[in-house]
Amino acid sequence: MLDAALNVTVGEGVTFEFTVTNAGHDPVEVTFRDAGKADFVVYEGDEAVWRWSDEKVFAQMIQTARFEPGEEAVFEEAWPDPRPGDYTAEATLRVREADVTARTPFSV
């Protein structure tokens, strides 16, 4: 069972820290779809206004990862040029089994 949390820091741009943790008692193995292991999207209302993976090309290499109980992985990215407003950030671990997602509101 993978849990996810997303922390957003607003400063000179916006930084995202996405933490995925195995909250269960058994190991969990996941298979990434490609080299883009996590993605970050910013929504203003229902409209996506920024997506980290836009205009990026990822190697089509399938990789597996094993999360032992209590083990976590952290993924970080930044949105360099946000405009003032109220947003919702969404981070997704892009795995074949089922995407693991966390969302949080923030303001710039």
Side-chain angles (χ1 to χ4, degrees):
M1 169 178 173
L2 295 178
D3 284 345
L6 177 58
N7 292 314
V8 177
T9 303
V10 178
E12 301 221 5
V14 178
T15 57
F16 306 101
E17 183 180 87
F18 179 42
T19 304
V20 178
T21 306
N22 179 354
H25 298 290
D26 298 314
V28 174
E29 191 166 296
V30 296
T31 305
F32 293 100
R33 297 181 197 146
D34 54 32
K37 295 179 179 178
D39 200 5
F40 298 83
V41 183
V42 174
Y43 294 94
E44 186 172 32
D46 293 334
E47 180 184 351
V49 295
W50 179 83
R51 181 181 304 269
W52 174 76
S53 63
D54 277 354
E55 300 181 21
K56 291 184 175 24
V57 177
F58 299 105
Q60 296 299 308
M61 45 192 275
I62 295 174
Q63 296 177 318
T64 60
R66 181 180 173 103
F67 289 82
E68 296 297 331
E71 184 177 2
E72 67 181 31
V74 178
F75 303 88
E76 297 177 327
E77 290 302 335
W79 181 23
D81 298 318
R83 65 180 190 270
D86 296 320
Y87 301 100
T88 299
E90 179 181 82
T92 303
L93 187 69
R94 301 175 62 234
V95 294
R96 286 185 171 180
E97 292 73 16
D99 286 343
V100 178
T101 302
R103 294 174 65 100
T104 190
F106 70 99
S107 296
V108 174

